[in-house]
Amino acid sequence: MNKLWVVALETYKKHVKTVTFLIMLLAPFVMVAFSLGFGYFANNMSKTNEIAVISENEAIKEGILAQGKKDFKFDKKINSEKEAEKALKDEKIDGFLVVKQEGDQISGRYTSKKSLGTDDQQRFTQYLNGLQLAANTEALKLKPEEVQTLMKSAKVTDRQVEFKDNKMVDNNTNKFVLSMVGFLIVFVMYMIVLNYASITAQEVASEKGTRIMEVILSSTSAAKHYYGKIIGISLVILTQVAVYAVTGVVGYVFAKDTDMVQDMLKNIPLGELLKGLLGYNLLFLLFGVLLYTILSAFMGSLVTRSEDAPKAVTPVTFLVLIAAMPVMMLSLSQPDHVLIKITSYIPFFSSFSMPVRIANDSVQQWEILASLGLLALSCVILLKVSAAIYKSTVLIYSDKSMGQVFKEAVNLK
């Protein structure tokens, strides 16, 4: 057992000290920082600072100025299109809005040197809709209470229930939070497998093709050496996940009192979010990552040279794409799709599909346990089989294909 952990810790230390691990660790932080920075600068670049409003109807002009005083800075000295065009040419304003009323119809045209941003377009539309409503109300001679009655819209509420002791009771599960957690589990697992499949195969195949394996196997068994490498890679993965978890906790402690976080927690209760993350979903994530790690190690054991390891994990990459993509496309629109139901019981697929079904609250507990049991059993079986194959192939030095190596290993067994 001590030799097993020696191999595991050596594998772990070797990988966490590499530049590749540091890049993988920092990549999400860099992406988030870049996205926030790009969004901030893009918003400032497209922001309209000062505009002019032109209209022959003074009431309409004053109405827009009153509605938009919190959103824009207005140049109230400009009263004609010619003045506005000159001011735009001299870059004294960013643009001007010309509003006309023909009969009962109010229309507006915004002129600027740059395209109108979506936010500003929505604001202008809102202003004009308010004025249009006022004009329609006046034309139809409607009373204020009649307008309010006319503006009322139908409401649709969603009540989720469950049956206990043959009685229908409310199910207070936050479906939105669970859906977010389910999608997060799928995305995290997808990224982990893609990032570590090649690394795992490379690690298992690293000493193959050299005489150093004969020295290693003189002090420990091939199975222990193989298990140690898988444990070491798994510890590397857990380290990366732990860093993100700790960063999230620290970030929450410092930002929990900000308006943005408080607004987010109104829609996404922290307790329910943690409950979704720390429940069955976490087990499906752990066993799913372990299963794909073992599969990657198995594929790495079939190559005779370490440089062939990236090619060996190509089937693993395709498998994770086949498992993840349908779930990502259907999880929000059709979470009860028959494809998701079927694959939620198939190892290699269930880690992606079952969290979606759990989020939709469309699966019973025995189904979750059955799927989880099959997943765990698959990990054990694949680990035992791949270790036996590794034992048979670890000292093969000839330049053979993966298929030939596998046939030899099976025959040796």
Side-chain angles (χ1 to χ4, degrees), residues 40-332:
Y40 174 79
F41 285 111
N43 183 60
N44 285 341
M45 289 293 291
S46 63
K47 186 177 180 181
T48 303
N49 296 316
E50 187 170 3
I51 64 173
V53 178
I54 312 298
S55 179
E56 296 179 356
N57 189 320
E58 194 64 27
I60 289 178
K61 180 177 179 178
E62 291 299 325
I64 294 176
L65 295 178
Q67 293 183 74
K69 61 183 178 182
K70 293 182 179 180
D71 301 320
F72 300 101
K73 182 179 179 182
F74 294 106
D75 189 333
K76 299 180 181 179
K77 298 179 180 179
I78 300 176
N79 296 308
S80 67
E81 286 192 53
K82 288 186 177 180
E83 292 178 17
E85 290 175 4
K86 187 176 185 307
L88 180 62
K89 180 181 178 181
D90 297 337
E91 297 185 352
K92 293 181 179 180
I93 59 174
D94 292 327
F96 59 92
L97 178 67
V98 179
V99 183
K100 297 180 178 180
Q101 182 174 11
E102 298 176 355
D104 295 332
Q105 180 66 50
I106 295 177
S107 62
R109 185 189 72 249
Y110 181 75
T111 304
S112 176
K113 292 182 179 179
K114 57 185 180 181
S115 61
L116 182 61
T118 303
D119 291 341
D120 290 341
Q121 185 174 11
Q122 290 177 347
R123 291 189 183 102
F124 290 146
T125 302
Q126 183 181 354
Y127 304 157
L128 296 181
N129 283 340
L131 294 171
Q132 184 67 64
L133 178 61
N136 293 342
T137 301
E138 184 178 352
L140 296 173
K141 296 181 170 42
L142 297 176
K143 297 178 181 179
E145 56 269 20
E146 292 175 328
V147 175
Q148 292 179 359
T149 301
L150 188 62
M151 294 296 292
K152 284 183 179 179
S153 57
K155 292 183 179 180
V156 177
T157 58
D158 180 21
R159 183 190 179 195
Q160 190 173 353
V161 299
E162 59 183 338
F163 289 88
K164 292 183 178 180
D165 299 326
N166 294 323
K167 292 183 179 180
M168 188 174 71
V169 295
D170 288 330
N171 185 345
N172 296 320
T173 302
N174 194 319
K175 207 168 181 180
F176 175 72
V177 173
L178 289 179
S179 297
M180 285 189 58
V181 171
F183 192 84
L184 178 64
I185 293 293
V186 171
F187 179 76
V188 169
M189 184 173 165
Y190 175 75
M191 294 305 299
I192 288 176
V193 174
L194 286 186
N195 286 332
Y196 281 95
S198 181
I199 294 174
T200 305
Q202 187 84 32
E203 178 59 36
V204 172
S206 58
E207 288 99 3
K208 298 190 69 175
T210 65
R211 297 295 174 181
I212 193 172
M213 279 307 305
E214 297 178 8
V215 178
I216 293 174
L217 294 181
S218 66
S219 59
T220 186
S221 66
K224 285 185 178 180
H225 187 254
Y226 180 74
Y227 295 153
K229 286 184 174 292
I230 291 178
I231 292 173
I233 294 295
S234 299
L235 290 175
V236 175
I237 296 173
L238 288 175
T239 299
Q240 185 172 0
V241 174
V243 169
Y244 296 149
V246 171
T247 303
V249 172
V250 173
Y252 170 75
V253 170
F254 283 99
K256 63 181 180 180
D257 295 326
T258 61
D259 293 338
M260 182 180 71
V261 173
Q262 290 298 319
D263 291 340
M264 184 175 67
L265 291 178
K266 290 179 181 178
N267 299 318
I268 309 175
L270 184 61
E272 293 190 26
L273 182 62
L274 291 176
K275 182 180 177 181
L277 284 171
L278 300 178
Y280 287 119
N281 285 325
L282 182 61
L283 293 177
F284 276 102
L285 174 63
L286 293 176
F287 280 113
V289 170
L290 179 60
L291 185 63
Y292 275 99
T293 301
I294 296 171
L295 179 62
S296 301
F298 170 66
M299 300 304 293
S301 70
L302 296 178
V303 299
T304 55
R305 297 180 302 174
S306 60
E307 53 266 32
D308 293 332
K311 299 178 184 177
V313 295
T314 300
V316 181
T317 303
F318 279 117
L319 182 60
V320 74
L321 286 172
I322 293 171
M325 286 305 169
V327 176
M328 289 185 177
M329 290 187 291
L330 297 172
S331 60
L332 298 178

Side-chain angles (χ1 to χ4, degrees), residues 330-347:
L330 297 172
S331 60
L332 298 178
S333 59
Q334 301 180 62
D336 286 328
H337 195 279
V338 64
L339 182 62
I340 294 180
K341 289 182 178 180
I342 293 174
T343 55
S344 65
Y345 298 103
I346 303 175

Side-chain angles (χ1 to χ4, degrees), residues 365-384:
Q365 188 168 6
W366 72 265
E367 295 179 280
I368 299 175
L369 294 176
S371 177
L372 195 59
L374 288 171
L375 184 59
L377 182 62
S378 299
C379 289
V380 174
I381 293 174
L382 183 60
L383 183 62
K384 292 293 184 181

Side-chain angles (χ1 to χ4, degrees), residues 32-43:
V32 170
F34 177 79
S35 299
L36 293 175
F38 180 80
Y40 174 79
F41 285 111
N43 183 60

